[in-house]
Amino acid sequence: MSTYALTDSWTMTRRELAHWARQPVRVVVGLAFPVMLLVMFGYLVGGGRGVQGEYVDYLVPGMLALTMAFGLEATMIAVTQDLDKGVIDRFRSMPMANGAVLVGRSAADMLQSALSLAVMIGVGHAIGWRTHGGVTGLLAAVGLLLLFRFAMLWIGIHLAMVAGKPEMVQAVQILVWPVGFLSNAFATPDSMPGWLGTAVDWNPLSHTATAVRDLVAAPGGEPGHVWPAIVWPLALLTVFFPLAVRRFTHLSR
């Protein structure tokens, strides 16, 4: 990417970060929601069916993966609002690198996702979760989680441009819920009916959660899931990144 494109992308990133200062409640809610889910499942709902060992050690990696799947609606709404108000058309009329708007939006989302992971890891330690894979294992796990988020993000950006209207985002966002809850975030596939366990095993989120558990030496971790946790997001990116860019390129034609 040229220096010109990087400068434009950074300008768009700063635009998105400026929205944080004007809408702090949205940022706080985005950070607090996964924390509430973690506490709810850890203390109120959790049972850990099929889990061998401390349930909180199993739950926290699953919740970290789940957090990377949820929260896409903020980015999707931002994209559709820019489309609906003609902001993107105005940007496209300027001498700006094509796609800088999307890169800026995705960069801001990834920064918030990294912050959300830091908050969740801190809360996890506060409720008794401990990592046993060392700093290297934890950093590798965070890398896998952010890769999964990046793939989910570009799926969301593409679907937002397909939806076109902010009011349609909620209907599209519902598609994320099966990915999140039909996973091994809360219970092991072995404890589920056969057909459901098979579906859960194929879920990309389950591969990421299992790989993270393996890297931090948590219950439910299994060797061999790191590569699927890398390949699945890259495969999704291979499909949805060019679709999003192509959709954006043809918006005003």
Side-chain angles (χ1 to χ4, degrees):
M1 185 180 293
S2 67
T3 302
Y4 174 68
L6 287 173
T7 301
D8 288 345
S9 297
W10 174 238
T11 300
M12 291 295 99
T13 301
R14 287 191 291 111
R15 169 181 176 259
E16 299 300 335
L17 295 179
H19 291 166
W20 292 13
R22 294 195 293 269
Q23 300 174 342
V25 173
R26 179 173 64 82
V27 177
V28 172
V29 170
L31 295 175
F33 178 69
V35 172
M36 290 188 294
L37 281 180
L38 174 59
V39 174
M40 180 180 70
F41 279 97
Y43 290 106
L44 300 178
V45 182
R49 293 182 59 189
V51 176
Q52 302 296 322
E54 291 292 331
Y55 182 52
V56 70
D57 289 338
Y58 179 90
L59 175 65
V60 173
M63 282 302 307
L64 294 176
L66 195 67
T67 300
M68 295 298 95
F70 284 0
L72 293 172
E73 66 272 9
T75 294
M76 295 170 70
I77 288 174
V79 171
T80 53
Q81 285 177 337
D82 283 350
L83 285 171
D84 197 41
K85 296 176 181 177
V87 174
I88 288 182
D89 286 336
R90 290 198 292 273
F91 282 144
R92 286 171 58 84
S93 68
M94 298 177 181
M96 179 186 297
N98 191 30
V101 176
L102 297 184
V103 173
R105 180 59 254 176
S106 63
D109 185 287
M110 292 302 293
L111 287 173
Q112 182 166 357
S113 297
L115 178 59
S116 183
L117 279 179
V119 170
M120 288 288 286
I121 289 171
V123 173
H125 277 269
I127 66 173
W129 176 58
R130 296 294 181 266
T131 60
H132 305 286
V135 175
T136 302
L138 179 59
L139 291 177
V142 169
L144 286 182
L145 290 163
L146 290 176
L147 176 61
F148 180 70
R149 175 63 175 193
F150 194 60
M152 294 296 295
L153 173 61
W154 282 96
I155 295 173
I157 289 174
H158 173 65
L159 292 179
M161 288 189 290
V162 171
K165 299 287 184 179
E167 56 268 21
M168 293 295 295
V169 167
Q170 186 174 6
V172 176
Q173 172 66 10
I174 293 175
L175 299 174
V176 177
W177 287 81
V179 176
F181 287 109
L182 291 178
S183 71
N184 64 3
F186 308 116
T188 65
D190 293 339
S191 67
M192 304 174 187
W195 63 270
L196 182 59
T198 300
V200 166
D201 279 332
W202 276 93
N203 189 335
L205 191 151
S206 294
H207 285 293
T208 296
T210 302
V212 170
R213 291 178 179 122
D214 181 42
L215 289 168
V216 301
E222 298 176 6
H225 282 264
V226 172
W227 280 113
I230 294 173
V231 171
W232 262 114
L234 290 179
L236 293 172
L237 279 170
T238 300
V239 174
F240 286 96
F241 181 81
L243 284 177
V245 172
R246 187 178 299 114
R247 185 86 183 185
F248 180 79
T249 301
H250 290 83
L251 279 176
S252 298
R253 293 184 179 179

